């Protein structure tokens, strides 16, 4: 089975919220873009959080710039793993990203939000005792495999707003 690797973090010194997924899915890996699957709700959820209705329609680099402007960073809990398809349940032989070191390097970081249960479980394990340095938020997955609708996910995602002010 082919080993799949995550992307570099998208952060800067102003990042206040770091959103961590698990490992990019097949569409994202093929496109070399975070949350590239058209049915993934990430860009619509974040658009609602930062009041940027145009966000999902922007070119990818402009979306990333808008996230950084809103003081949101992106990364993944898993650096690399073997996995058939895109399901988090199929992740095997996972090698972690060093979330604790990245988080410690962000001077304004206030919260780490995990996009889905797998990212939350793996990310907390990596942060260990350092997790208490930040507010930790477990968000319902934006993945199309997590079938509750966007309206049901929005209240949890809106919890990011106070950290961005």
């Amino acid at each position: 089975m082919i080993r799949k690797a995550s992307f570099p973090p998208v952060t800067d010194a102003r990042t206040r919220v770091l959103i961590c997924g698990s490992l990019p899915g097949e569409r994202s890996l093929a496109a070399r873009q975070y949350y590239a699957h058209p049915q993934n709700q990430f860009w619509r959820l974040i658009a609602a959080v930062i009041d940027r209705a145009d966000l999902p329609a922007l070119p990818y680099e402009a979306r990333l710039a808008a996230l950084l402007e809103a003081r949101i960073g992106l990364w993944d809990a898993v650096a690399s793993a073997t996995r058939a398809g895109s399901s988090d349940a199929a992740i095997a032989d996972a090698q972690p990203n060093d979330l604790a070191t990245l988080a410690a390097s962000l001077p304004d970081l206030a919260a780490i939000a995990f996009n889905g249960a797998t990212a939350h479980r793996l990310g907390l394990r990596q942060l260990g005792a350092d997790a208490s340095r930040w507010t930790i938020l477990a968000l319902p997955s934006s993945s199309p495999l997590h079938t509750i609708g966007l309206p049901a996910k929005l209240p949890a995602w809106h919890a990011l707003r106070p950290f961005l002010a």
Side-chain angles (χ1 to χ4, degrees):
M1 191 173 307
I2 296 172
R3 192 155 192 85
K4 298 169 184 180
S6 67
F7 306 136
V10 176
T11 60
D12 66 20
R14 300 172 307 136
T15 299
R16 291 198 39 84
V17 173
L18 179 63
I19 300 174
C20 294
S22 55
L23 180 69
E26 294 298 313
R27 291 266 182 102
S28 293
L29 291 168
R32 301 286 309 149
Q33 297 180 2
Y34 282 103
Y35 304 105
H37 193 292
Q39 293 177 342
N40 191 296
Q41 298 169 328
F42 177 82
W43 295 108
R44 287 174 285 170
L45 289 161
I46 286 297
V49 169
I50 65 172
D51 294 320
R52 284 285 311 259
D54 65 331
L55 186 68
L58 294 175
Y60 180 67
E61 292 302 323
R63 281 182 268 153
L64 294 182
L67 284 184
L68 291 175
E69 184 63 29
R71 304 183 77 182
I72 296 171
L74 294 178
W75 208 21
D76 287 304
V78 177
S80 68
T82 56
R83 179 186 63 203
S86 297
S87 171
D88 282 357
I91 291 173
D93 190 28
Q95 299 299 311
N97 272 321
D98 190 352
L99 292 179
T101 297
L102 176 67
S105 77
L106 300 171
D108 290 346
L109 189 66
I112 301 173
F114 293 103
N115 184 359
T118 299
H120 183 240
R121 178 175 47 81
L122 296 174
L124 280 181
R125 183 182 310 153
Q126 292 158 36
L127 290 171
D130 287 336
S132 64
R133 295 176 58 186
W134 306 280
T135 297
I136 303 296
L137 299 164
L139 302 173
S141 176
S142 65
S143 168
L145 298 175
H146 188 64
T147 57
I148 67 169
L150 187 93
K153 295 177 185 181
L154 268 175
W157 283 75
H158 276 157
L160 300 175
R161 282 183 165 177
F163 300 100
L164 302 173

